Amino acid sequence: TVLSVQQPFYWQGVASNIRLGYTRSNFTSTGQLSAPGMLAAISTPASNDALLVSANYKNNREIRMQWHNDLSIDSTNSLQFGMETRQIKVPAGVIKNNFDLTDLSNFAGSGNAVRYYGTLLATTKIQAKSQRNIVGAYGQYQSALYESTHLTLGIRYDSFSNIDKQFSPRFALVHELNAQHSFKLLYGEAFRAPAEDELNMQNNPVITGNPNLKAERIQSGEIIWLGQWAK
């Protein structure tokens, strides 16, 4: 289910756009995770069946509000700014399996046999219930310093509840040497919070989440000379 409302308007010389959105989703995935007979030696009772799973994710919900503004100061200067808020609710994920995935995930450490059910039973919790509130705000100033020189200054603030927060600046200076050549000086920082499966995945023999993960931060600087030739 997806609902979205968008309203553009103009106030005090600022072109604005507000968008409200609501998303609700259900997702089911089935699959075969092993070849037949692969778990016969470690299962109880022993079975040559393949490992079959059916994952069901219900009532994933997200509410989002976005507000963007564009102000033309004069013919050579402009300002963009806005904010975004999101609330994400993810229920616990439970998987149906014919071999117990929890036993299989812990087999290397425990040495205990993997229970075989003979049919698909909803026994294994594979993702913890979670909720996160996200706030982002940004501003960007653009200026044509000269006819062939352009400056961009920007900053963004991101906050993910229970994870991390950061201010990320951006700088760009572009100078056109002539019609064929341009010079760019760039600096920026980026922020990426871990996804739900990276945080909350459980009882999975392939990947396990870490609820203590923090956000990734990137700093980058570039000097670019761009030239164009006929050949």
Short mmCIF file of all heavy atoms in Angstrom, two decimals, residues 29-31 33 51-57 92-102 117 120-127 201-205:
data_model
loop_
_atom_site.label_atom_id
_atom_site.label_comp_id
_atom_site.label_asym_id
_atom_site.label_seq_id
_atom_site.Cartn_x
_atom_site.Cartn_y
_atom_site.Cartn_z
N SER A 29 8.94 -14.82 0.83
CA SER A 29 9.98 -15.39 -0.03
C SER A 29 10.18 -16.85 0.33
O SER A 29 10.32 -17.21 1.50
CB SER A 29 11.30 -14.62 0.15
OG SER A 29 12.33 -15.22 -0.60
N THR A 30 10.18 -17.72 -0.67
CA THR A 30 10.42 -19.14 -0.45
C THR A 30 11.62 -19.58 -1.27
O THR A 30 11.93 -18.99 -2.31
CB THR A 30 9.19 -19.98 -0.86
OG1 THR A 30 8.92 -19.76 -2.25
CG2 THR A 30 7.97 -19.57 -0.05
N GLY A 31 12.31 -20.60 -0.79
CA GLY A 31 13.47 -21.06 -1.54
C GLY A 31 14.06 -22.34 -1.00
O GLY A 31 13.70 -22.82 0.07
N LEU A 33 17.66 -23.91 0.12
CA LEU A 33 18.96 -23.41 0.52
C LEU A 33 20.06 -24.45 0.51
O LEU A 33 21.22 -24.13 0.79
CB LEU A 33 18.87 -22.78 1.93
CG LEU A 33 17.91 -21.61 2.10
CD1 LEU A 33 18.06 -21.01 3.48
CD2 LEU A 33 18.12 -20.55 1.03
N LEU A 51 17.12 -28.40 2.33
CA LEU A 51 16.68 -27.37 3.27
C LEU A 51 15.75 -26.40 2.55
O LEU A 51 16.14 -25.72 1.60
CB LEU A 51 17.88 -26.63 3.85
CG LEU A 51 17.58 -25.39 4.70
CD1 LEU A 51 16.70 -25.74 5.90
CD2 LEU A 51 18.88 -24.73 5.16
N LEU A 52 14.49 -26.34 3.00
CA LEU A 52 13.49 -25.47 2.40
C LEU A 52 13.07 -24.41 3.41
O LEU A 52 12.94 -24.70 4.60
CB LEU A 52 12.26 -26.28 1.97
CG LEU A 52 12.51 -27.44 1.03
CD1 LEU A 52 11.21 -28.21 0.77
CD2 LEU A 52 13.11 -26.96 -0.28
N VAL A 53 12.87 -23.19 2.95
CA VAL A 53 12.47 -22.10 3.84
C VAL A 53 11.37 -21.27 3.19
O VAL A 53 11.26 -21.21 1.96
CB VAL A 53 13.65 -21.18 4.20
CG1 VAL A 53 14.72 -21.94 4.97
CG2 VAL A 53 14.24 -20.56 2.95
N SER A 54 10.57 -20.64 4.03
CA SER A 54 9.56 -19.68 3.57
C SER A 54 9.53 -18.54 4.58
O SER A 54 9.13 -18.72 5.73
CB SER A 54 8.18 -20.36 3.49
OG SER A 54 7.19 -19.41 3.11
N ALA A 55 10.01 -17.37 4.15
CA ALA A 55 10.10 -16.20 5.03
C ALA A 55 8.91 -15.29 4.80
O ALA A 55 8.51 -15.04 3.66
CB ALA A 55 11.39 -15.45 4.76
N ASN A 56 8.35 -14.78 5.88
CA ASN A 56 7.16 -13.93 5.79
C ASN A 56 7.40 -12.65 6.59
O ASN A 56 7.62 -12.69 7.80
CB ASN A 56 5.95 -14.68 6.36
CG ASN A 56 4.65 -14.00 5.99
OD1 ASN A 56 4.64 -12.94 5.39
ND2 ASN A 56 3.54 -14.61 6.35
N TYR A 57 7.40 -11.52 5.89
CA TYR A 57 7.55 -10.21 6.53
C TYR A 57 6.23 -9.46 6.37
O TYR A 57 5.82 -9.14 5.24
CB TYR A 57 8.68 -9.41 5.89
CG TYR A 57 10.03 -10.08 5.96
CD1 TYR A 57 10.44 -10.94 4.96
CD2 TYR A 57 10.87 -9.86 7.04
CE1 TYR A 57 11.68 -11.56 5.01
CE2 TYR A 57 12.12 -10.47 7.11
CZ TYR A 57 12.52 -11.32 6.09
OH TYR A 57 13.73 -11.92 6.14
N ALA A 92 9.04 -8.19 13.77
CA ALA A 92 9.94 -9.34 13.80
C ALA A 92 9.66 -10.25 12.61
O ALA A 92 8.51 -10.46 12.22
CB ALA A 92 9.76 -10.10 15.11
N GLY A 93 10.72 -10.77 12.01
CA GLY A 93 10.57 -11.69 10.88
C GLY A 93 10.71 -13.13 11.34
O GLY A 93 11.66 -13.48 12.04
N VAL A 94 9.74 -13.97 10.96
CA VAL A 94 9.75 -15.38 11.34
C VAL A 94 9.77 -16.22 10.08
O VAL A 94 9.05 -15.93 9.11
CB VAL A 94 8.53 -15.74 12.20
CG1 VAL A 94 8.52 -17.23 12.51
CG2 VAL A 94 8.52 -14.93 13.48
N ILE A 95 10.59 -17.27 10.09
CA ILE A 95 10.74 -18.10 8.90
C ILE A 95 10.22 -19.51 9.18
O ILE A 95 10.37 -20.03 10.29
CB ILE A 95 12.23 -18.15 8.46
CG1 ILE A 95 12.34 -18.63 7.02
CG2 ILE A 95 13.05 -19.02 9.39
CD1 ILE A 95 13.72 -18.45 6.43
N LYS A 96 9.58 -20.09 8.17
CA LYS A 96 9.19 -21.50 8.22
C LYS A 96 10.31 -22.33 7.60
O LYS A 96 10.85 -21.96 6.56
CB LYS A 96 7.88 -21.73 7.46
CG LYS A 96 6.67 -21.02 8.04
CD LYS A 96 5.44 -21.29 7.21
CE LYS A 96 4.21 -20.58 7.77
NZ LYS A 96 3.00 -20.84 6.95
N ASN A 97 10.65 -23.44 8.27
CA ASN A 97 11.74 -24.28 7.77
C ASN A 97 11.46 -25.75 8.07
O ASN A 97 10.80 -26.08 9.06
CB ASN A 97 13.07 -23.86 8.37
CG ASN A 97 13.01 -23.49 9.85
OD1 ASN A 97 13.74 -22.62 10.29
ND2 ASN A 97 12.14 -24.12 10.64
N ASN A 98 12.00 -26.63 7.23
CA ASN A 98 11.87 -28.06 7.52
C ASN A 98 13.05 -28.57 8.36
O ASN A 98 12.91 -29.55 9.08
CB ASN A 98 11.71 -28.88 6.23
CG ASN A 98 12.88 -28.69 5.27
OD1 ASN A 98 13.62 -27.71 5.37
ND2 ASN A 98 13.04 -29.61 4.34
N PHE A 99 14.20 -27.94 8.28
CA PHE A 99 15.32 -28.13 9.20
C PHE A 99 15.42 -26.85 10.03
O PHE A 99 15.32 -25.75 9.50
CB PHE A 99 16.63 -28.38 8.46
CG PHE A 99 16.71 -29.67 7.72
CD1 PHE A 99 16.28 -29.75 6.40
CD2 PHE A 99 17.24 -30.81 8.32
CE1 PHE A 99 16.37 -30.94 5.69
CE2 PHE A 99 17.34 -32.00 7.62
CZ PHE A 99 16.89 -32.08 6.30
N ASP A 100 15.65 -26.99 11.33
CA ASP A 100 15.67 -25.81 12.20
C ASP A 100 16.87 -24.93 11.90
O ASP A 100 18.03 -25.34 12.10
CB ASP A 100 15.68 -26.24 13.67
CG ASP A 100 15.35 -25.08 14.59
OD1 ASP A 100 16.23 -24.23 14.79
OD2 ASP A 100 14.21 -25.02 15.08
N LEU A 101 16.61 -23.70 11.42
CA LEU A 101 17.71 -22.80 11.06
C LEU A 101 18.51 -22.35 12.27
O LEU A 101 19.72 -22.10 12.17
CB LEU A 101 17.16 -21.59 10.32
CG LEU A 101 17.03 -21.68 8.80
CD1 LEU A 101 16.62 -20.34 8.23
CD2 LEU A 101 18.32 -22.15 8.16
N THR A 102 17.87 -22.23 13.43
CA THR A 102 18.61 -21.85 14.63
C THR A 102 19.65 -22.91 14.98
O THR A 102 20.80 -22.60 15.29
CB THR A 102 17.66 -21.64 15.82
OG1 THR A 102 16.68 -20.66 15.48
CG2 THR A 102 18.41 -21.20 17.05
N TYR A 117 11.93 -31.43 10.81
CA TYR A 117 10.51 -31.45 11.14
C TYR A 117 9.66 -32.23 10.15
O TYR A 117 8.52 -32.57 10.45
CB TYR A 117 9.99 -30.01 11.23
CG TYR A 117 10.69 -29.18 12.28
CD1 TYR A 117 11.36 -28.02 11.93
CD2 TYR A 117 10.69 -29.57 13.61
CE1 TYR A 117 12.01 -27.26 12.89
CE2 TYR A 117 11.33 -28.81 14.58
CZ TYR A 117 11.99 -27.65 14.21
OH TYR A 117 12.64 -26.90 15.16
N LEU A 120 7.20 -27.73 6.76
CA LEU A 120 7.61 -26.36 7.06
C LEU A 120 6.90 -25.86 8.32
O LEU A 120 5.67 -25.75 8.34
CB LEU A 120 7.29 -25.43 5.88
CG LEU A 120 8.09 -25.66 4.60
CD1 LEU A 120 7.62 -24.72 3.50
CD2 LEU A 120 9.58 -25.46 4.83
N LEU A 121 7.67 -25.55 9.35
CA LEU A 121 7.11 -25.03 10.60
C LEU A 121 7.74 -23.67 10.90
O LEU A 121 8.93 -23.47 10.69
CB LEU A 121 7.41 -25.99 11.76
CG LEU A 121 6.79 -27.38 11.69
CD1 LEU A 121 7.17 -28.18 12.93
CD2 LEU A 121 5.28 -27.30 11.55
N ALA A 122 6.91 -22.77 11.43
CA ALA A 122 7.38 -21.42 11.77
C ALA A 122 8.06 -21.46 13.14
O ALA A 122 7.46 -21.19 14.17
CB ALA A 122 6.21 -20.44 11.77
N THR A 123 9.34 -21.80 13.14
CA THR A 123 10.07 -21.98 14.40
C THR A 123 11.19 -20.98 14.60
O THR A 123 11.70 -20.84 15.71
CB THR A 123 10.69 -23.39 14.44
OG1 THR A 123 11.65 -23.49 13.38
CG2 THR A 123 9.63 -24.45 14.27
N THR A 124 11.61 -20.28 13.55
CA THR A 124 12.86 -19.53 13.63
C THR A 124 12.64 -18.04 13.42
O THR A 124 12.12 -17.62 12.37
CB THR A 124 13.88 -20.05 12.61
OG1 THR A 124 14.06 -21.45 12.80
CG2 THR A 124 15.21 -19.35 12.76
N LYS A 125 13.06 -17.24 14.38
CA LYS A 125 13.03 -15.79 14.26
C LYS A 125 14.31 -15.35 13.56
O LYS A 125 15.41 -15.60 14.05
CB LYS A 125 12.94 -15.16 15.65
CG LYS A 125 12.82 -13.64 15.65
CD LYS A 125 12.69 -13.14 17.08
CE LYS A 125 12.58 -11.63 17.16
NZ LYS A 125 12.46 -11.14 18.55
N ILE A 126 14.17 -14.70 12.40
CA ILE A 126 15.36 -14.36 11.63
C ILE A 126 15.66 -12.85 11.62
O ILE A 126 16.73 -12.45 11.16
CB ILE A 126 15.24 -14.85 10.18
CG1 ILE A 126 14.02 -14.25 9.49
CG2 ILE A 126 15.23 -16.36 10.12
CD1 ILE A 126 14.00 -14.49 8.00
N GLN A 127 14.72 -12.03 12.10
CA GLN A 127 15.00 -10.60 12.17
C GLN A 127 14.27 -10.00 13.35
O GLN A 127 13.07 -10.24 13.55
CB GLN A 127 14.57 -9.88 10.88
CG GLN A 127 14.93 -8.40 10.86
CD GLN A 127 14.87 -7.80 9.48
OE1 GLN A 127 15.51 -8.27 8.55
NE2 GLN A 127 14.08 -6.76 9.31
N MET A 201 19.49 -9.02 11.62
CA MET A 201 19.37 -10.39 11.12
C MET A 201 19.85 -11.38 12.18
O MET A 201 20.89 -11.19 12.80
CB MET A 201 20.17 -10.55 9.84
CG MET A 201 19.96 -11.88 9.14
SD MET A 201 18.31 -12.02 8.42
CE MET A 201 18.47 -10.90 7.02
N GLN A 202 19.06 -12.46 12.38
CA GLN A 202 19.38 -13.46 13.39
C GLN A 202 19.26 -14.86 12.81
O GLN A 202 18.58 -15.08 11.81
CB GLN A 202 18.42 -13.35 14.59
CG GLN A 202 18.39 -12.00 15.27
CD GLN A 202 17.34 -11.94 16.36
OE1 GLN A 202 16.53 -12.86 16.52
NE2 GLN A 202 17.34 -10.86 17.12
N ASN A 203 19.90 -15.82 13.48
CA ASN A 203 19.71 -17.25 13.18
C ASN A 203 19.83 -17.55 11.70
O ASN A 203 19.02 -18.28 11.13
CB ASN A 203 18.36 -17.72 13.71
CG ASN A 203 18.23 -17.55 15.20
OD1 ASN A 203 19.17 -17.84 15.95
ND2 ASN A 203 17.09 -17.07 15.65
N ASN A 204 20.83 -16.97 11.10
CA ASN A 204 21.06 -17.15 9.67
C ASN A 204 22.45 -17.76 9.49
O ASN A 204 23.43 -17.19 9.96
CB ASN A 204 20.96 -15.80 8.95
CG ASN A 204 20.99 -15.94 7.45
OD1 ASN A 204 21.79 -16.66 6.90
ND2 ASN A 204 20.10 -15.21 6.78
N PRO A 205 22.55 -18.92 8.82
CA PRO A 205 23.88 -19.55 8.67
C PRO A 205 24.81 -18.80 7.73
O PRO A 205 25.99 -19.11 7.65
CB PRO A 205 23.53 -20.94 8.12
CG PRO A 205 22.21 -20.78 7.46
CD PRO A 205 21.47 -19.74 8.25
#
